Amino acid sequence: MPLIPCIPVSGRRGDLRSGRTEYSKDGFRLLDDVPVKEALTSAYSATDKGDPIAILDADAFRRKFLNADVVKEIRIKGRELWLITYVENVDDVIDGMCGAYDRICIPTHTADDDTFLESADISDSVIPVVFVTKDGIALSGVSIESEKERMSALGFREFLVLNMGDVTLDHRIIADDN
């Protein structure tokens, strides 16, 4: 599967913005000021009907909880909408499912533990996402291959890789060895 368009979003109802981002230990910060509608239109034009478009809730990682305005306000017809937000536990997953999103993407570095990730696998609407640096190392400090093995051991058959350098999202399928 080709790269999935990933739109960073920040702000409040009526003033949601997008743009290039920068990541630090405090979370994401927008470097540009692009109206969300413009970013969504661009991603819509670059995809086909039924393709996914991911929304990165940039504020959530600084605040350590999801931005409810991003959950409530973002809608797009004819495409799957995936939400990448700060998730620690099942309550956070449920909060994220309150919007128009087809899938909730759980960052592996924010999840409480592997037991939570294992229980999150019960829904087809949940997919783990591994954040990696420009050098391809996961925030956990291990290689993508190690994270792939971990996701497979937890029962996932797919996961996402978010490159924090250019905010690209790669969909990876874990081969079924059976």
Side-chain angles (χ1 to χ4, degrees), residues 41-123:
T41 300
S42 176
Y44 188 90
S45 298
T47 57
D48 294 322
K49 185 175 179 114
D51 283 351
I53 295 174
I55 303 297
L56 174 66
D57 179 1
D59 295 337
F61 296 91
R62 186 180 63 257
R63 297 168 28 183
K64 301 209 181 323
F65 59 90
L66 67 83
N67 181 344
D69 291 331
V70 169
V71 172
K72 294 175 188 171
E73 296 292 312
I74 305 281
R75 306 251 188 279
I76 193 164
K77 292 183 180 183
R79 304 293 186 269
E80 278 198 19
L81 203 53
W82 295 7
L83 176 64
I84 303 170
T85 189
Y86 188 89
V87 174
E88 282 185 329
N89 52 47
V90 173
D91 291 337
D92 295 339
V93 172
I94 292 168
D95 290 344
M97 298 297 283
C98 292
Y101 294 93
D102 297 287
R103 297 192 88 178
I104 301 299
C105 308
I106 301 175
T108 57
H109 70 283
T110 65
D112 273 346
D113 55 31
D114 281 357
T115 304
F116 161 62
L117 282 172
E118 201 168 37
S119 68
D121 186 35
I122 61 172
S123 171

Coordinates of all heavy atoms in Angstrom, one line a residue, residues 41-123:
T41 N -8.6 19.1 1.4 CA -8.9 19.1 0.0 C -7.7 18.6 -0.8 O -7.9 17.8 -1.8 CB -9.3 20.6 -0.5 OG1 -10.4 21.0 0.2 CG2 -9.5 20.7 -2.0
S42 N -6.5 19.0 -0.4 CA -5.3 18.5 -1.1 C -5.2 16.9 -0.9 O -4.9 16.2 -1.9 CB -4.1 19.2 -0.5 OG -2.9 18.7 -1.1
A43 N -5.4 16.4 0.3 CA -5.3 15.0 0.5 C -6.4 14.3 -0.2 O -6.2 13.2 -0.8 CB -5.4 14.7 2.0
Y44 N -7.6 14.8 -0.3 CA -8.8 14.2 -1.0 C -8.4 14.1 -2.5 O -8.7 13.0 -3.1 CB -10.0 15.1 -0.8 CG -11.3 14.5 -1.3 CD1 -12.1 13.7 -0.5 CD2 -11.7 14.7 -2.6 CE1 -13.2 13.1 -1.0 CE2 -12.9 14.1 -3.1 CZ -13.6 13.3 -2.3 OH -14.8 12.8 -2.7
S45 N -7.9 15.1 -3.0 CA -7.5 15.1 -4.5 C -6.4 14.1 -4.8 O -6.4 13.6 -5.9 CB -7.0 16.5 -4.9 OG -8.1 17.4 -4.7
A46 N -5.6 13.8 -3.8 CA -4.4 12.9 -4.0 C -4.8 11.4 -3.8 O -3.9 10.6 -3.9 CB -3.3 13.3 -3.2
T47 N -6.1 11.2 -3.4 CA -6.5 9.8 -3.1 C -7.7 9.4 -3.9 O -8.3 10.2 -4.5 CB -6.8 9.7 -1.6 OG1 -7.8 10.6 -1.2 CG2 -5.6 9.9 -0.7
D48 N -8.0 8.1 -3.9 CA -9.2 7.6 -4.5 C -10.2 7.2 -3.5 O -10.0 7.1 -2.3 CB -8.8 6.3 -5.3 CG -7.8 6.6 -6.5 OD1 -8.0 7.6 -7.1 OD2 -6.9 5.8 -6.7
K49 N -11.5 7.0 -4.0 CA -12.6 6.7 -3.2 C -12.3 5.5 -2.3 O -11.7 4.5 -2.8 CB -13.8 6.4 -4.0 CG -15.1 6.2 -3.2 CD -16.3 6.0 -4.1 CE -17.5 5.8 -3.3 NZ -18.5 6.8 -3.3
G50 N -12.5 5.6 -1.0 CA -12.3 4.5 -0.1 C -10.9 4.5 0.5 O -10.6 3.7 1.4
D51 N -9.9 5.3 -0.1 CA -8.6 5.3 0.5 C -8.6 6.0 1.8 O -9.4 6.8 2.1 CB -7.6 6.1 -0.4 CG -7.2 5.3 -1.7 OD1 -7.5 4.1 -1.8 OD2 -6.6 6.0 -2.6
P52 N -7.6 5.6 2.7 CA -7.5 6.3 4.0 C -6.8 7.6 3.9 O -5.9 7.8 3.1 CB -6.8 5.3 4.9 CG -5.9 4.5 3.9 CD -6.7 4.5 2.6
I53 N -7.3 8.5 4.8 CA -6.6 9.8 5.1 C -6.4 9.8 6.6 O -7.4 9.6 7.3 CB -7.3 11.0 4.6 CG1 -7.4 11.0 3.0 CG2 -6.7 12.3 5.1 CD1 -8.3 12.1 2.4
A54 N -5.2 10.0 7.1 CA -5.0 10.1 8.5 C -4.9 11.5 9.0 O -4.4 12.4 8.4 CB -3.7 9.4 8.9
I55 N -5.5 11.7 10.2 CA -5.5 13.0 10.9 C -4.6 12.8 12.1 O -4.9 12.0 12.9 CB -6.9 13.5 11.3 CG1 -7.8 13.6 10.1 CG2 -6.8 14.8 12.1 CD1 -7.4 14.6 9.0
L56 N -3.6 13.6 12.2 CA -2.7 13.6 13.4 C -3.1 14.7 14.3 O -3.0 15.9 14.0 CB -1.2 13.8 12.9 CG -0.2 14.0 14.1 CD1 -0.1 12.7 14.9 CD2 1.1 14.4 13.5
D57 N -3.7 14.4 15.5 CA -4.1 15.3 16.5 C -2.8 15.9 17.2 O -2.4 15.3 18.2 CB -5.0 14.6 17.5 CG -5.5 15.4 18.6 OD1 -5.2 16.6 18.6 OD2 -6.3 14.9 19.4
A58 N -2.3 16.9 16.6 CA -1.0 17.4 17.0 C -1.0 17.9 18.5 O 0.0 17.8 19.2 CB -0.5 18.5 16.1
D59 N -2.1 18.5 18.9 CA -2.2 19.1 20.3 C -2.2 18.0 21.3 O -1.8 18.2 22.5 CB -3.5 19.9 20.4 CG -3.5 21.2 19.6 OD1 -2.4 21.6 19.2 OD2 -4.6 21.7 19.3
A60 N -2.7 16.8 21.0 CA -2.9 15.7 22.0 C -1.6 15.3 22.6 O -1.6 14.9 23.8 CB -3.6 14.5 21.3
F61 N -0.5 15.3 21.9 CA 0.7 14.8 22.4 C 1.4 15.7 23.4 O 2.1 15.3 24.3 CB 1.7 14.4 21.3 CG 1.1 13.3 20.5 CD1 0.3 13.6 19.4 CD2 1.3 12.0 20.9 CE1 -0.2 12.5 18.7 CE2 0.8 10.9 20.1 CZ 0.0 11.2 19.0
R62 N 1.1 17.0 23.3 CA 1.5 18.0 24.3 C 0.6 18.0 25.5 O 1.1 18.0 26.7 CB 1.5 19.4 23.7 CG 2.2 20.5 24.5 CD 2.1 21.9 23.9 NE 0.8 22.3 23.6 CZ 0.1 22.3 22.5 NH1 0.8 21.9 21.4 NH2 -1.1 22.7 22.3
R63 N -0.7 17.8 25.3 CA -1.7 17.9 26.4 C -1.9 16.5 27.1 O -2.4 16.5 28.2 CB -3.0 18.4 25.8 CG -2.9 19.8 25.3 CD -4.1 20.2 24.5 NE -5.3 19.5 24.8 CZ -6.5 19.7 24.2 NH1 -6.5 20.5 23.2 NH2 -7.6 19.1 24.6
K64 N -1.5 15.5 26.4 CA -1.6 14.1 26.9 C -3.1 13.7 27.0 O -3.5 12.8 27.8 CB -0.9 13.9 28.2 CG 0.6 14.1 28.1 CD 1.4 13.3 29.0 CE 2.9 13.5 29.0 NZ 3.5 13.8 27.8
F65 N -3.9 14.2 26.1 CA -5.3 13.7 25.9 C -5.8 14.3 24.6 O -5.3 15.3 24.1 CB -6.3 14.1 27.1 CG -6.4 15.6 27.4 CD1 -7.3 16.3 26.7 CD2 -5.5 16.2 28.3 CE1 -7.5 17.7 27.0 CE2 -5.7 17.5 28.6 CZ -6.6 18.3 27.9
L66 N -6.8 13.7 24.0 CA -7.2 14.0 22.6 C -7.9 15.4 22.6 O -8.4 15.9 23.6 CB -8.1 13.0 22.0 CG -9.4 12.7 22.6 CD1 -10.5 13.7 22.0 CD2 -9.8 11.3 22.1
N67 N -7.7 16.1 21.5 CA -8.4 17.3 21.2 C -9.8 17.0 20.7 O -10.0 16.6 19.6 CB -7.6 18.1 20.2 CG -8.2 19.5 19.9 OD1 -9.3 19.8 20.2 ND2 -7.4 20.3 19.2
A68 N -10.8 17.2 21.6 CA -12.2 16.9 21.2 C -12.7 17.6 20.0 O -13.5 17.1 19.2 CB -13.1 17.2 22.4
D69 N -12.1 18.8 19.7 CA -12.6 19.5 18.5 C -12.1 18.8 17.3 O -12.8 18.9 16.3 CB -12.1 21.0 18.6 CG -12.7 21.8 19.7 OD1 -13.9 21.5 20.0 OD2 -12.1 22.7 20.2
V70 N -10.9 18.2 17.3 CA -10.5 17.5 16.1 C -11.4 16.3 15.9 O -11.7 15.9 14.8 CB -9.0 17.0 16.3 CG1 -8.6 16.0 15.3 CG2 -8.1 18.2 16.3
V71 N -11.8 15.6 17.0 CA -12.7 14.4 16.9 C -14.0 14.8 16.3 O -14.6 14.2 15.5 CB -12.8 13.7 18.3 CG1 -13.9 12.7 18.2 CG2 -11.5 13.2 18.7
K72 N -14.6 15.9 16.8 CA -15.9 16.4 16.4 C -16.0 17.1 15.1 O -17.0 17.0 14.4 CB -16.5 17.3 17.5 CG -16.7 16.6 18.8 CD -17.2 17.6 19.9 CE -17.2 17.0 21.2 NZ -17.5 18.0 22.3
E73 N -15.0 17.8 14.7 CA -15.1 18.8 13.6 C -14.7 18.2 12.3 O -15.1 18.7 11.2 CB -14.3 20.0 13.9 CG -14.9 20.8 15.1 CD -16.2 21.5 14.8 OE1 -16.4 22.1 13.7 OE2 -17.1 21.3 15.6
I74 N -13.7 17.3 12.2 CA -13.2 16.8 11.0 C -14.1 15.7 10.4 O -14.4 14.7 11.0 CB -11.8 16.2 11.2 CG1 -10.8 17.2 11.9 CG2 -11.2 15.7 9.9 CD1 -10.3 18.3 11.0
R75 N -14.5 16.0 9.2 CA -15.3 15.0 8.4 C -14.9 15.1 6.9 O -14.5 16.1 6.4 CB -16.8 15.5 8.4 CG -17.4 15.7 9.8 CD -18.3 14.6 10.2 NE -19.1 14.8 11.4 CZ -18.6 14.5 12.6 NH1 -17.4 14.1 12.8 NH2 -19.3 14.7 13.7
I76 N -15.0 14.0 6.3 CA -14.7 13.9 4.9 C -15.4 12.7 4.3 O -15.4 11.6 4.8 CB -13.1 13.9 4.6 CG1 -12.8 14.1 3.1 CG2 -12.6 12.6 5.1 CD1 -11.4 14.4 2.9
K77 N -16.1 13.0 3.2 CA -16.9 11.9 2.5 C -16.1 11.2 1.5 O -15.3 11.8 0.8 CB -18.2 12.5 1.9 CG -19.1 13.0 2.9 CD -20.4 13.5 2.3 CE -21.4 14.0 3.3 NZ -22.6 14.5 2.8
G78 N -16.4 9.9 1.3 CA -15.7 9.1 0.2 C -14.3 8.6 0.5 O -13.7 8.0 -0.3
R79 N -13.8 8.9 1.7 CA -12.5 8.4 2.1 C -12.6 7.8 3.5 O -13.5 8.2 4.3 CB -11.5 9.5 2.2 CG -11.3 10.3 0.9 CD -10.7 9.4 -0.3 NE -10.4 10.2 -1.4 CZ -11.3 10.4 -2.4 NH1 -12.5 9.9 -2.4 NH2 -10.9 11.0 -3.5
E80 N -11.8 6.9 3.8 CA -11.7 6.4 5.2 C -10.9 7.4 6.0 O -9.9 8.0 5.5 CB -10.9 5.1 5.3 CG -11.8 3.9 5.0 CD -11.2 2.6 5.5 OE1 -10.3 2.6 6.4 OE2 -11.6 1.5 5.0
L81 N -11.3 7.7 7.2 CA -10.7 8.7 8.0 C -10.1 8.0 9.2 O -10.8 7.3 10.0 CB -11.7 9.8 8.5 CG -11.2 11.2 8.9 CD1 -10.3 11.8 7.8 CD2 -12.4 12.1 9.1
W82 N -8.8 8.2 9.4 CA -8.1 7.5 10.5 C -7.6 8.6 11.5 O -7.0 9.6 11.0 CB -6.9 6.7 10.0 CG -7.3 5.5 9.1 CD1 -8.5 5.2 8.7 CD2 -6.4 4.5 8.6 NE1 -8.4 4.1 7.9 CE2 -7.2 3.6 7.9 CE3 -5.0 4.3 8.8 CZ2 -6.6 2.5 7.2 CZ3 -4.5 3.2 8.1 CH2 -5.3 2.3 7.4
L83 N -7.7 8.4 12.8 CA -7.3 9.3 13.8 C -6.0 8.8 14.5 O -6.0 7.7 15.1 CB -8.4 9.6 14.8 CG -8.0 10.5 16.0 CD1 -7.7 11.9 15.5 CD2 -9.2 10.6 17.0
I84 N -5.0 9.6 14.5 CA -3.8 9.4 15.3 C -3.8 10.4 16.4 O -3.7 11.6 16.2 CB -2.5 9.5 14.5 CG1 -2.5 8.6 13.3 CG2 -1.3 9.3 15.4 CD1 -1.4 8.9 12.3
T85 N -4.0 9.9 17.7 CA -4.1 10.8 18.8 C -3.4 10.1 20.0 O -3.0 9.0 19.9 CB -5.5 11.2 19.1 OG1 -5.6 12.2 20.1 CG2 -6.3 10.0 19.6
Y86 N -3.2 10.9 21.1 CA -2.6 10.4 22.3 C -3.6 9.4 22.9 O -4.7 9.7 23.2 CB -2.3 11.5 23.2 CG -1.5 11.1 24.5 CD1 -0.2 11.1 24.4 CD2 -2.2 10.7 25.6 CE1 0.6 10.8 25.5 CE2 -1.4 10.3 26.7 CZ -0.1 10.3 26.7 OH 0.7 10.0 27.8
V87 N -3.1 8.1 23.1 CA -4.0 7.1 23.6 C -3.1 6.3 24.7 O -2.0 5.9 24.4 CB -4.4 6.0 22.6 CG1 -5.2 4.9 23.2 CG2 -5.3 6.7 21.5
E88 N -3.7 6.3 25.9 CA -3.1 5.5 27.0 C -3.8 4.3 27.3 O -3.2 3.3 27.7 CB -3.0 6.4 28.3 CG -1.9 7.4 28.3 CD -1.8 8.1 29.6 OE1 -2.8 8.3 30.3 OE2 -0.7 8.5 30.0
N89 N -5.2 4.3 27.2 CA -6.0 3.2 27.7 C -7.3 3.1 26.9 O -7.5 3.9 26.0 CB -6.3 3.4 29.2 CG -6.9 4.8 29.5 OD1 -7.8 5.3 28.8 ND2 -6.3 5.5 30.5
V90 N -8.1 2.2 27.3 CA -9.4 1.9 26.6 C -10.3 3.1 26.6 O -11.0 3.4 25.6 CB -10.1 0.7 27.2 CG1 -11.5 0.5 26.6 CG2 -9.3 -0.6 27.1
D91 N -10.3 3.9 27.7 CA -11.2 5.1 27.7 C -10.8 6.1 26.6 O -11.7 6.7 26.0 CB -11.1 5.8 29.0 CG -11.7 5.0 30.2 OD1 -12.6 4.2 29.9 OD2 -11.4 5.3 31.3
D92 N -9.5 6.2 26.3 CA -9.0 7.1 25.2 C -9.5 6.6 23.9 O -9.8 7.4 23.0 CB -7.5 7.2 25.3 CG -7.0 7.9 26.5 OD1 -7.8 8.7 27.1 OD2 -5.8 7.7 26.8
V93 N -9.5 5.2 23.7 CA -10.0 4.7 22.4 C -11.4 5.0 22.2 O -11.9 5.4 21.2 CB -9.7 3.1 22.4 CG1 -10.4 2.5 21.2 CG2 -8.2 2.8 22.4
I94 N -12.2 4.8 23.3 CA -13.7 5.1 23.2 C -13.9 6.5 22.9 O -14.8 6.8 22.1 CB -14.3 4.6 24.5 CG1 -14.3 3.1 24.7 CG2 -15.8 5.1 24.6 CD1 -14.7 2.6 26.0
D95 N -13.2 7.4 23.5 CA -13.3 8.9 23.2 C -13.0 9.2 21.8 O -13.7 9.9 21.1 CB -12.4 9.7 24.1 CG -12.8 9.7 25.6 OD1 -13.9 9.4 25.9 OD2 -11.9 10.1 26.4
G96 N -12.0 8.5 21.2 CA -11.7 8.7 19.8 C -12.7 8.2 18.8 O -12.9 8.7 17.7
M97 N -13.4 7.2 19.3 CA -14.4 6.5 18.4 C -15.7 7.4 18.3 O -16.6 7.0 17.6 CB -14.8 5.1 18.9 CG -13.6 4.2 18.9 SD -12.9 3.8 17.3 CE -14.2 2.7 16.6
C98 N -15.8 8.4 19.1 CA -17.0 9.3 19.1 C -17.1 10.1 17.9 O -18.2 10.7 17.6 CB -17.0 10.2 20.4 SG -17.3 9.2 21.9
G99 N -16.1 10.2 17.1 CA -16.2 11.1 15.9 C -16.5 10.3 14.6 O -17.0 9.1 14.7
A100 N -16.1 10.8 13.5 CA -16.4 10.2 12.2 C -15.3 9.4 11.7 O -15.1 9.1 10.5 CB -16.8 11.3 11.2
Y101 N -14.5 8.9 12.6 CA -13.3 8.1 12.2 C -13.5 6.6 12.0 O -14.3 6.0 12.8 CB -12.1 8.3 13.2 CG -11.7 9.8 13.3 CD1 -12.3 10.7 14.1 CD2 -10.8 10.2 12.3 CE1 -11.9 12.0 14.1 CE2 -10.4 11.6 12.3 CZ -10.9 12.4 13.2 OH -10.6 13.8 13.2
D102 N -12.9 6.1 11.0 CA -13.1 4.7 10.7 C -12.1 3.8 11.5 O -12.4 2.7 11.8 CB -12.8 4.4 9.2 CG -13.9 5.1 8.3 OD1 -15.0 4.6 8.3 OD2 -13.5 6.1 7.7
R103 N -11.0 4.4 11.8 CA -10.0 3.7 12.6 C -9.3 4.7 13.6 O -9.1 5.8 13.3 CB -8.9 3.1 11.7 CG -9.5 2.1 10.8 CD -8.5 1.3 10.1 NE -8.2 0.1 10.9 CZ -7.3 -0.8 10.5 NH1 -6.7 -0.7 9.3 NH2 -7.1 -1.9 11.2
I104 N -8.9 4.1 14.8 CA -8.2 4.8 15.8 C -6.8 4.2 15.8 O -6.6 3.0 15.9 CB -8.8 4.7 17.2 CG1 -10.2 5.2 17.2 CG2 -7.9 5.4 18.2 CD1 -10.4 6.7 16.8
C105 N -5.8 5.1 15.6 CA -4.4 4.6 15.6 C -3.7 4.9 16.9 O -3.6 6.0 17.3 CB -3.7 5.4 14.4 SG -4.5 5.3 12.9
I106 N -3.3 3.8 17.6 CA -2.7 3.9 18.9 C -1.2 4.0 18.8 O -0.6 3.0 18.4 CB -3.1 2.7 19.8 CG1 -4.6 2.6 19.9 CG2 -2.5 2.8 21.1 CD1 -5.1 1.4 20.6
P107 N -0.6 5.2 19.2 CA 0.8 5.2 19.3 C 1.4 4.3 20.3 O 1.0 4.3 21.5 CB 1.1 6.7 19.7 CG -0.2 7.4 19.3 CD -1.3 6.4 19.5
T108 N 2.3 3.4 19.9 CA 2.8 2.4 20.8 C 3.6 3.0 22.0 O 3.6 2.4 23.0 CB 3.7 1.4 20.0 OG1 4.8 2.1 19.4 CG2 2.9 0.6 19.0
H109 N 4.1 4.2 21.8 CA 4.9 4.8 22.9 C 4.0 5.5 23.9 O 4.5 5.8 25.0 CB 6.0 5.7 22.3 CG 5.4 7.0 21.8 ND1 4.8 7.0 20.5 CD2 5.3 8.3 22.2 CE1 4.4 8.3 20.2 NE2 4.7 9.0 21.3
T110 N 2.7 5.7 23.7 CA 1.8 6.3 24.7 C 1.0 5.3 25.4 O 0.4 5.6 26.4 CB 1.0 7.4 24.0 OG1 0.0 6.8 23.1 CG2 1.8 8.5 23.3
A111 N 0.8 4.1 24.8 CA 0.0 3.1 25.4 C 0.5 2.7 26.8 O 1.7 2.6 27.0 CB -0.1 1.8 24.5
D112 N -0.4 2.5 27.7 CA 0.0 2.1 29.1 C 1.0 0.9 29.1 O 2.0 1.0 29.8 CB -1.2 1.8 30.0 CG -1.9 3.0 30.6 OD1 -1.2 4.0 30.6 OD2 -3.0 2.9 31.1
D113 N 0.6 -0.1 28.4 CA 1.5 -1.3 28.4 C 1.1 -2.2 27.3 O 0.1 -2.0 26.6 CB 1.5 -2.0 29.7 CG 0.1 -2.4 30.2 OD1 -0.8 -2.7 29.4 OD2 -0.1 -2.4 31.4
D114 N 1.8 -3.3 27.1 CA 1.5 -4.3 26.0 C 0.1 -5.0 26.3 O -0.5 -5.4 25.4 CB 2.6 -5.3 25.9 CG 3.8 -4.8 25.1 OD1 3.7 -3.6 24.6 OD2 4.8 -5.5 24.9
T115 N -0.2 -5.1 27.6 CA -1.5 -5.8 27.9 C -2.7 -4.9 27.3 O -3.6 -5.5 26.8 CB -1.7 -5.9 29.4 OG1 -0.6 -6.6 30.0 CG2 -3.0 -6.6 29.8
F116 N -2.6 -3.6 27.4 CA -3.6 -2.8 26.8 C -3.6 -2.9 25.3 O -4.6 -3.1 24.7 CB -3.4 -1.3 27.2 CG -4.1 -0.3 26.3 CD1 -5.5 -0.4 26.2 CD2 -3.4 0.5 25.5 CE1 -6.1 0.5 25.3 CE2 -4.0 1.4 24.6 CZ -5.4 1.4 24.6
L117 N -2.4 -2.9 24.7 CA -2.3 -3.0 23.2 C -2.9 -4.4 22.8 O -3.7 -4.5 21.8 CB -0.9 -2.9 22.7 CG -0.3 -1.5 22.6 CD1 1.2 -1.6 22.3 CD2 -1.0 -0.7 21.6
E118 N -2.6 -5.4 23.6 CA -3.2 -6.8 23.3 C -4.7 -6.8 23.3 O -5.4 -7.3 22.5 CB -2.6 -7.8 24.3 CG -2.6 -9.2 23.8 CD -1.8 -10.0 24.8 OE1 -1.7 -9.8 26.0 OE2 -1.1 -11.0 24.2
S119 N -5.3 -6.1 24.3 CA -6.7 -6.0 24.4 C -7.3 -5.1 23.4 O -8.5 -5.4 22.9 CB -7.2 -5.6 25.8 OG -6.8 -4.2 26.0
A120 N -6.6 -4.2 22.9 CA -7.1 -3.2 21.9 C -7.2 -4.0 20.5 O -8.0 -3.5 19.6 CB -6.2 -2.0 21.7
D121 N -6.6 -5.1 20.4 CA -6.6 -5.8 19.1 C -8.0 -6.5 18.8 O -8.2 -7.0 17.8 CB -5.5 -6.9 19.1 CG -5.4 -7.6 17.7 OD1 -5.6 -7.0 16.7 OD2 -5.1 -8.8 17.7
I122 N -8.9 -6.4 19.8 CA -10.2 -7.0 19.6 C -11.1 -6.3 18.6 O -12.0 -6.9 18.1 CB -11.0 -7.1 21.0 CG1 -11.2 -5.7 21.5 CG2 -10.3 -8.0 21.9 CD1 -12.1 -5.7 22.7
S123 N -10.7 -5.1 18.2 CA -11.5 -4.4 17.3 C -10.7 -4.1 16.0 O -9.5 -3.8 16.0 CB -11.9 -3.0 17.9 OG -12.4 -2.2 16.9

